[in-house]
Amino acid sequence: MEAFEQFVALSMESEGLVVSGALKFNVTRKTRKAAYDEYQTHGFEVDLVGARRDRLVLATVKSFFGSRGVVASHVKGDGTGYAKWYALLNQADVREAVVNGAAERFGYDLDQIEMRLYAGRFSTAASEAEIREWAKSQVIGSGPLQVYDTKHVVAKVRAAAKSKQYRDSAVLATLKVLDATGALVPTSQT
């Protein structure tokens, strides 16, 4: 599990979800062969899967801290080759097959399944706004695609780090060390 995914997993766990790492779902698609019909099956990866009795969450996690950030045109599937990184979100046949596959694999009804995008860094504020607006129109499973940013994730993880109960988590231990050394800004100032 990638480092930012560990933060996101803890955030999801704060909702009472049991969270697993990446899982692949097979999607069969027609190829571009003009002479005859041909189909290929590819595995599409869901970065994190969170489950509880009444909900199944399928999460795509993109950190991009050391790069440009999450770009609206890529997420929406407009033109560029980078859009394939978000096929789970922007290609209706892929996301439908994955959601149906998850429902079948785990025994949930479609209206109990939620899809989320967790973005560590957006390329610009305008890009973030465009992604959030687009996501509202993308009904997947129980409702629109949910978009979460780093501030949301960190707030949930910092709340979890306040617990005195020991938990073997590198993320929680890191936050506790930073807090103990005064390296973190108090939550009321963030």
Side-chain angles (χ1 to χ4, degrees):
M1 190 180 300
E2 186 254 344
F4 183 58
E5 288 176 2
Q6 291 180 35
F7 272 85
V8 173
L10 284 168
S11 173
M12 291 171 65
E13 287 173 6
S14 74
E15 299 173 52
L17 297 164
V18 174
V19 181
S20 81
L23 295 176
K24 285 200 175 192
F25 293 86
N26 288 330
V27 177
T28 301
R29 304 173 89 182
K30 189 175 180 180
T31 65
R32 296 182 186 168
K33 297 266 186 202
Y36 57 92
D37 287 345
E38 179 182 72
Y39 295 87
Q40 289 183 342
T41 300
H42 299 279
F44 286 86
E45 187 173 276
V46 174
D47 295 320
L48 296 172
V49 177
R52 68 179 192 213
R53 183 181 50 80
D54 62 338
R55 186 183 333 170
L56 184 69
V57 176
L58 308 176
T60 295
V61 181
K62 303 292 185 198
S63 59
F64 291 129
F65 290 115
S67 67
R68 181 178 178 193
V70 177
V71 177
S73 63
H74 301 167
V75 174
K76 294 167 51 178
D78 297 342
T80 70
Y82 295 111
K84 67 184 175 191
W85 293 351
Y86 302 91
L88 188 62
L89 306 178
N90 64 35
Q91 294 180 24
D93 62 328
V94 171
R95 68 186 188 201
E96 182 179 334
V98 168
V99 168
N100 287 333
E104 184 177 323
R105 185 186 296 184
F106 299 114
Y108 286 85
D109 293 331
L110 292 177
D111 65 356
Q112 294 178 299
I113 299 176
E114 179 181 330
M115 193 167 288
R116 297 178 181 178
L117 168 64
Y118 285 89
R121 179 170 185 250
F122 291 98
S123 60
T124 64
S127 191
E128 178 181 359
E130 187 176 342
I131 291 166
R132 289 183 184 281
E133 190 59 34
W134 174 81
K136 291 177 189 176
S137 69
Q138 304 305 304
V139 178
I140 307 165
S142 65
L145 171 64
Q146 300 296 307
V147 179
Y148 294 92
D149 61 16
T150 305
K151 288 181 182 180
H152 170 87
V153 171
V154 169
K156 296 277 189 180
V157 174
R158 286 189 77 175
K162 289 181 180 180
S163 172
K164 300 294 182 195
Q165 184 177 17
Y166 175 75
R167 186 158 169 211
D168 187 16
S169 165
V171 170
L172 291 177
T174 301
L175 285 178
K176 289 179 184 230
V177 166
L178 291 172
D179 190 38
T181 61
L184 288 179
V185 175
T187 306
S188 61
Q189 294 180 20
T190 58

